[in-house]
Amino acid sequence: MAQINPSILSADFARLAEEAQAVEGADWLHIDVMDNHFVPNLTLGLPVVESLRKATDTPLDCHLMIEDPDRWAPAYAEAGAGSVTFHAEAATAPIRLAREIRAQGARASMALRPATPIEPFEDLLPELDMILVMTVEPGFGGQAFLDVTLPKIRRTRELIARHGLPLWLQVDGGVSAATIERCAEAGADVFVAGSAVYGAEDPAAAVRGLREQAERAAAAARGEAGTAG
């Protein structure tokens, strides 16, 4: 089943509690944490995560675009995040870090920038609960989707299937009604959507519409695969 994670980065920061409630029915609330070092932007941190945890029943999906996630990531699990994503390019000891996140009771996820290949991390996959393939360069919302990432999404799904792992495959960046079907056909099953949700007149309806699109596209892709086989 497709999961839709609205990105709070596209919400009204002055009304975060209300904006979190506006997307009830979403699978997760995606929180972009940026430190102005790993990426050239500064956004939300631990205090906001702790506050949002009290303001919504929707589980929190924290994407850490920060330097030294080995030091900081476990604290986000402690703060109440249900899923914590660190970047492969920033982590020093990704296996140890994934285990620490899991030990705090959260799902452990690793993100890859558009140009970072998945293949060198194949042996790490059993240590993870989710892989995030960035479909834009991390750092800013509202960027155009990069079609060049679609083959990597397919290769990642193939690796997950080859090892028989229950990993979720998330995409983040430029996901909208115009692009979500291509992502689902390529094998993604968790979709971060920012302006496509929070820019809509009815954010909750936008979540439902995106989920329906993704599920139809995934079902069609599975049907084609079955026919080909």
Side-chain angles (χ1 to χ4, degrees):
M1 176 176 167
Q3 299 184 62
I4 306 298
N5 299 13
S7 172
I8 206 81
L9 186 64
S10 296
D12 181 349
F13 279 17
R15 302 170 50 248
L16 281 186
E18 295 169 52
E19 295 282 67
Q21 291 161 8
V23 293
E24 285 185 355
D27 298 280
W28 296 78
L29 190 64
H30 190 82
I31 302 174
D32 291 299
V33 177
M34 307 183 197
D35 64 357
N36 208 28
H37 294 286
F38 181 70
V39 291
N41 200 358
L42 185 65
T43 58
L44 312 170
L46 277 169
V48 175
V49 173
E50 291 169 345
S51 296
L52 279 171
R53 178 65 283 151
K54 299 169 187 173
T56 179
D57 292 329
T58 304
L60 306 181
D61 168 31
C62 286
H63 176 194
L64 308 185
M65 288 168 269
I66 63 174
E67 290 184 349
D68 201 9
D70 302 75
R71 176 182 179 187
W72 298 111
Y76 284 86
E78 291 178 35
S83 177
V84 178
T85 300
F86 59 88
H87 265 265
E89 303 88 356
T92 302
I95 293 175
R96 182 176 65 198
L97 178 54
R99 291 179 178 179
E100 288 179 4
I101 292 169
R102 282 175 158 181
Q104 293 293 341
R107 295 176 61 85
S109 170
M110 187 172 71
L112 305 174
R113 283 182 144 166
T116 302
I118 181 62
E119 287 77 10
F121 302 100
E122 181 176 356
D123 291 342
L124 270 70
L125 296 181
E127 301 289 340
L128 301 168
D129 299 295
M130 184 169 74
I131 285 283
L132 166 54
V133 173
M134 292 296 297
T135 45
V136 299
E137 286 295 339
F140 294 93
Q143 297 183 64
F145 179 83
L146 296 174
D147 281 284
V148 71
T149 59
L150 288 168
K152 184 165 73 172
I153 296 169
R154 292 191 186 94
R155 293 197 306 273
T156 303
R157 174 54 64 193
E158 289 166 3
L159 283 178
I160 292 169
R162 184 184 307 162
H163 292 278
L165 297 169
L167 262 74
W168 296 349
L169 176 48
Q170 185 179 65
V171 288
D172 179 6
V175 175
S176 67
T179 60
I180 194 168
E181 292 180 14
R182 278 175 277 165
C183 296
E185 288 164 359
D189 52 14
V190 184
F191 306 87
V192 177
S195 54
V197 171
Y198 279 110
E201 186 173 331
D202 184 341
V207 168
R208 292 192 296 271
L210 289 169
R211 187 185 289 119
E212 290 168 5
Q213 273 191 276
E215 291 183 348
R216 282 198 305 269
R222 287 194 298 269
E224 290 171 10
T227 302

